[in-house]
Amino acid sequence: MNYYEKELNIIEKSNRLRNRKLFDNKLIDLASNDYLGLSTKKSLLKKTYKKLKEERYFSPKSSMLVNGYSNIHNKFEKKLCKLNKFEQGIVVGSGFLANIALIESLIRKKDILFIDEEYHASGMLATKLVQGEVVVFKHNDTEDLENKISSLSYTPNRIVIAIEGVYSMGGDIAPKEFNEIASKHNAILIVDEAHSSGVIGKNLLGWFDYYGIEPQSNHIKMGTLGKAYGSYGAYILASHSIISFLENRAKTIIYSTAPSLFDIALAYTNLTYLQKYKKKIKKRIAKNQRIVKKYLNIDAKSLIVPIEIGDNKKVIDMQTELIEKGYLVGAIRQPTVSKAIIRMIIKLDIKEKDLKVVVRYLKN
Ligand SMILES: Cc1ncc(COP(=O)(O)O)c(C=O)c1O
């Protein structure tokens, strides 16, 4: 038995073996991050295809820093900046690449990064690449962060704080006080809005919008396109100088092919749709949250509903039972979470009667 086989055996014995599965497409999907159910809307696909057909090039061809930057990227960046009130934006191949870009390039020698312990794996991986110091603070704990900043024994060049708007496993929202702490300590605040853009806020724009925070020069918003925006890719919004610095220093932006033109064009179409129907979408979000409150007594703040089970085998058994009834939920085990959970996504394309079947099952 070689090393990898031995490791795999250990993983399997603790019921933690992962594998990608071809789930039946007919299952009702309460597992994915397609929050608004845009991934099946053929009209949005058709619109995007028509737009892309008008372009001279339909593949990105090279890095944006060579000649891969297209009109499609530029238009989407401008739309995001206008909506979110940020000075400048840049599209990135994926959220994973965007987090590596931000953390690896912005934290310089004599800087210090404070990062939430539940920050996404891409950000955590990037901390291994930085030249400055990295301090992990307790999840969503503003007091712990404040204590850690106040007890620094030296004055760093820069302080950077990294949080998520909505956390991917818990579905909880980062408190507003993080912004106050960042202002007080003259710190840069990075907000990963993968699960908050399109889901929370007056205009469904995410965390800054939810708290009515006007973007300032110390704010960085990272958003992904593979979730509520129904596509694939990511973007970073910030001040002119930060975006220009990323163009000059972020390796995952400089040395990677520009984001897919189709994906960016699709995200543009979907964002336009989302903004047009935001009132209706917000009502549907509130309705699904009410159903979860009524049956499970959980106050969902986003469209992610975690149900703690604490047993790796049991979550897989529960997932299998629901599959037999025609529904797919996420069975998330360690090490992704500290205790195994059923991760139910109350997507907007789920019919009320179906959502009720699943919540009733989970109640028991
Ligand atoms: C919070 C968060 N940030 C970043 C990412 C990575 O984004 P992407 O899937 O676009 O690489 C994810 C997950 O996919 C995520 O949940």
Side-chain angles (χ1 to χ4, degrees), residues 94-96 99 120 122 164 168 192 194-195 222 224 227 232-233:
S94 72
F96 206 104
N99 266 330
H120 190 257
S122 49
E164 290 183 21
S168 58
D192 177 334
H195 300 274
M222 191 285 276
T224 61
K227 296 171 171 83
Y232 183 75

Side-chain angles (χ1 to χ4, degrees), residues 103-112 126-134 249 251:
I103 290 170
E104 193 248 348
S105 68
L106 296 182
I107 320 300
R108 317 302 293 175
K109 263 187 201 146
K110 298 189 186 153
D111 288 353
I112 182 160
T127 63
K128 312 273 185 255
L129 306 169
V130 305
Q131 302 167 5
E133 192 184 340
V134 176
R249 284 284 181 270
K251 295 180 186 65

Side-chain angles (χ1 to χ4, degrees), residues 112-126:
I112 182 160
L113 169 71
F114 291 92
I115 187 164
D116 188 289
E117 65 183 344
E118 288 191 12
Y119 200 88
H120 190 257
S122 49
M124 289 304 185
L125 178 66

Side-chain angles (χ1 to χ4, degrees), residues 13-29:
K13 275 200 183 119
S14 56
N15 290 308
R16 285 160 58 174
L17 190 70
R18 300 184 239 225
N19 49 36
R20 58 198 202 285
K21 281 186 198 140
L22 275 174
F23 287 109
D24 182 350
N25 265 345
K26 290 193 195 76
L27 288 173
I28 294 172
D29 171 21

